[in-house]
Amino acid sequence: MQKAAQQETRPAGRRRAPVVRRRGTSPEKTAQTRQTIADAALAEFLEKGFADATIESVAKRAGVAKGLIYRYFEAKEALFSAVVQQEIVHAHIDVDDSKKAAGESVEAFLRRTLVPSIRNIEKKSRADIASVVIAEGARFPALVEIYRRDVIDPLAQKIKRLALSAKKSGEIVDDHLIKNPHFLLAPIWAGIVINKFLDKSNPVDIGEMFERQLDMIFSGKGK
């Protein structure tokens, strides 16, 4: 009753101020901002390397405030991880054994899925990102850990499963690829080192090297 009386004696026309609710950032806007920053970070890393890249320069490239970057990425290593995810992990390289068509051999599956990507590795940014890891990984171990965790280990595990399937079907006769799936990936790394560091004036065809490795593995010539 007392509460009701107080309400009745409130001066007429006096109303509570409306509550202003700010609209949060949409998921689409958040994703677009992250991509813009990651694109700027990619350009910065490829131009200057990891050591000389700065958050300030990334912000300037992206056209955003430096503080905004820290809302999405806590450090420069997190930016590098985002670049790896965007440019390599999500690059639609699907060699999961569950994607192999019925009756398709492992060799044919790898030639269909992996070879086209390897042939374009230098046309995209993937070889350049790997070269940053090679050049600066000793100084910045976090780069190696990011690349190993997000790229190398998942790919090696998928190749190992494919190697087990190939051994079971008789496509390969030994356990070399099962025990060391990096055997298949070795020409990629060799090609990147040659083209980016050892002999830039006489680059090798990384895609061709990879296909010849496939030939040796599945023909038995590499034994």
Side-chain angles (χ1 to χ4, degrees), residues 2 5 21 27 50 54 62 79 81 89 122 127 140 144-145 148 176 194 211-212:
Q2 184 179 1
R21 299 184 183 276
F50 185 81
T54 65
L79 270 175
S81 179
V89 177
E122 292 183 293
F140 300 99
V144 177
E145 174 59 22
R148 182 196 60 76
H176 292 165
I194 292 168
E211 287 204 79
R212 297 293 73 80

Side-chain angles (χ1 to χ4, degrees), residues 48-62:
K48 300 179 180 179
F50 185 81
D52 294 331
T54 65
I55 297 294
E56 290 86 350
S57 294
V58 172
K60 187 176 295 185
R61 284 180 186 269

Side-chain angles (χ1 to χ4, degrees), residues 1-116:
M1 292 296 292
Q2 184 179 1
K3 184 177 180 180
Q6 289 175 346
Q7 289 177 340
E8 289 171 2
T9 58
R10 182 180 297 164
R14 185 176 178 181
R15 299 179 179 177
R16 294 180 180 177
V19 177
V20 179
R21 299 184 183 276
R22 295 185 178 182
R23 301 177 66 181
T25 305
S26 69
E28 293 80 9
K29 179 64 174 178
T30 296
Q32 181 58 52
T33 301
R34 286 182 64 89
Q35 182 173 334
T36 298
I37 294 172
D39 289 342
L42 171 64
E44 184 77 0
F45 291 141
L46 297 191
E47 179 181 322
K48 300 179 180 179
F50 185 81
D52 294 331
T54 65
I55 297 294
E56 290 86 350
S57 294
V58 172
K60 187 176 295 185
R61 284 180 186 269
V64 302
K66 176 182 175 181
L68 180 64
I69 291 184
Y70 284 113
R71 288 176 57 185
Y72 290 89
F73 306 99
E74 62 182 11
K76 196 163 61 169
E77 288 80 2
L79 270 175
F80 188 80
S81 179
V83 166
V84 169
Q85 287 287 328
Q86 178 174 293
E87 300 299 317
I88 302 178
V89 177
H90 298 152
H92 307 295
I93 306 173
D94 195 349
V95 291
D96 192 286
D97 57 342
S98 65
K99 304 296 183 181
K100 190 163 66 70
E104 185 177 28
S105 68
V106 171
E107 179 183 3
F109 177 65
L110 287 170
R111 291 187 187 278
R112 175 170 66 84
T113 58
L114 202 51
V115 168

Side-chain angles (χ1 to χ4, degrees), residues 31 38 41 94 135 198 214:
D94 195 349
L198 298 182
L214 280 174

